[in-house]
Amino acid sequence: MSALAGLYLHIPFCHSKCTYCSFITGSYEDLLVQRYLTALLKEIASTSKLLPPLAQKIDTIYLGGGTPSIITPEWIESLLNACYKHFLVDSSSEITIEINPADINLERLKYYKNLGINRVSVGVQSFIDEQLKEIGRDHSSKEAILAIENLRKVGFDNISLDLIAGLPNQTLKEWKYNLSKALELSPEHLSIYLLEVKEKTTLYAQIRSGKLKKPDDDLAAEMYETLLENLTNNNYQHYEISNFAKSSGNFHSKHNKKYWLDIPYYGLGVSAHSYYNQVRYSNVKSTHTYIEKIENFGQAIEEKVFLDDSEQVREAIMLRLRLIEGINLEEFKATYNFDILATYKEAFSELLENNLIEVTNGYLRLTQRGILFSNEVFVLFV
Ligand code: SF4
């Protein structure tokens, strides 16, 4: 894998707020969007100037959100042109856009394709319309299917699809239905998340007031087992806790792997994070403050945290353990001059006993049980 950096651009606007969402997003207001995107163009230019030429080389661009497909394709073009102008974008780069099925048609997808976008992540979440409505999604199952059919028509051959398991009141039968519909569409990649109920979300309030039932842990575990069985039987490789890729081909998310493999990335836009030279940077979390800061100073960094060697190693262990292949212990020792097994001997004996981790053929990895209870393992490295 190349160790070139990745570039993430955050588009913080959505048609409506999903009930479970805790991201920084707001609704689309023309003037605000214009000001925000103009600021983002400025941040792309000013960030590249801070980097030495070698660090300006990137091989992934990821347009995420929010909902990047909510802005006009002309704006997407301007953003990508700015990336090409100010960064050294490798010719084999993976360029991803997240889309809402309701936003796109053939014409728009052709536009994306002509811009060099070669990977599309479709936020489907469920193929059952009542469930989509319940969680505040503004697209239908039919629109999601049509979006994927249109992506194929236009020639996209690297499509990722997002699903959520454990939605309120979702039954195992409904989850199996969602999985079978997803598999019928044969996406190259699937990101599947167990629903998390975060404080300050509408869903949290609905559950607290008893209006909806909190997803049951046992049922969620059953859904997870069904998921693993179905995807393995259909030749998908489970390569990260929440991510699956077709075994035939190279469809792992090159961009997201940077987060898990301690490779630098630059996150631009409101609330975006960057990591390079052992420093984590976080941008401000308010869209208005972001715009003002960029307009006045060209940067909107709110927090800078230098990771000392020990913090860097602990983060690297925690993030690499998300990968199903685990950590190559020899390679890790050579890179970080750190012996994981010797250092965590005592703590690991309990995790091994509880069948949460395993060490085989020189790799340390989570077991299937450990994947379900990964937080119990990760807490060791915080
Ligand atoms: S589309 Fe995504 S970012 Fe926007 S509100 Fe829904 S979950 Fe949040």
Side-chain angles (χ1 to χ4, degrees), residues 13-14 16-18 20-23 25 65-67 100 125 137:
F13 305 105
C14 294
S16 53
K17 188 89 176 171
C18 303
Y20 55 88
C21 180
S22 60
F23 297 139
T25 65
T67 308
N100 177 326
Q125 318 312 355
R137 303 287 302 185

Side-chain angles (χ1 to χ4, degrees), residues 102-119:
D103 286 334
I104 48 140
N105 52 31
L106 270 176
E107 200 189 334
R108 186 171 283 216
L109 292 178
K110 279 183 198 153
Y111 202 120
Y112 288 168
K113 189 103 187 16
N114 289 336
L115 294 178
I117 291 173
N118 50 27
R119 185 171 184 272

Side-chain angles (χ1 to χ4, degrees), residues 1-8 51 54-61 94 252-267 273-281 307 312 315-317 319-320 323 325 331-332 335-336:
M1 155 168 293
S2 144
L4 295 186
L7 182 61
Y8 173 86
L51 301 166
L54 264 183
Q56 291 173 2
K57 282 193 176 177
I58 57 171
D59 64 357
T60 65
I61 300 175
E94 174 191 273
H252 293 189
S253 163
K254 197 166 157 185
H255 182 80
N256 287 340
K257 273 195 150 180
K258 298 192 188 294
Y259 304 140
W260 304 317
L261 287 173
D262 200 11
I263 296 172
Y265 53 86
Y266 316 120
H273 297 267
S274 304
Y275 170 68
Y276 50 96
N277 295 339
Q278 280 186 241
V279 182
R280 292 209 172 283
Y281 301 85
L307 303 184
Q312 190 196 20
E315 278 223 15
I317 298 172
L319 290 167
R320 266 172 209 235
L323 294 170
E325 72 166 8
E331 199 184 286
F332 195 90
T335 310
Y336 296 96

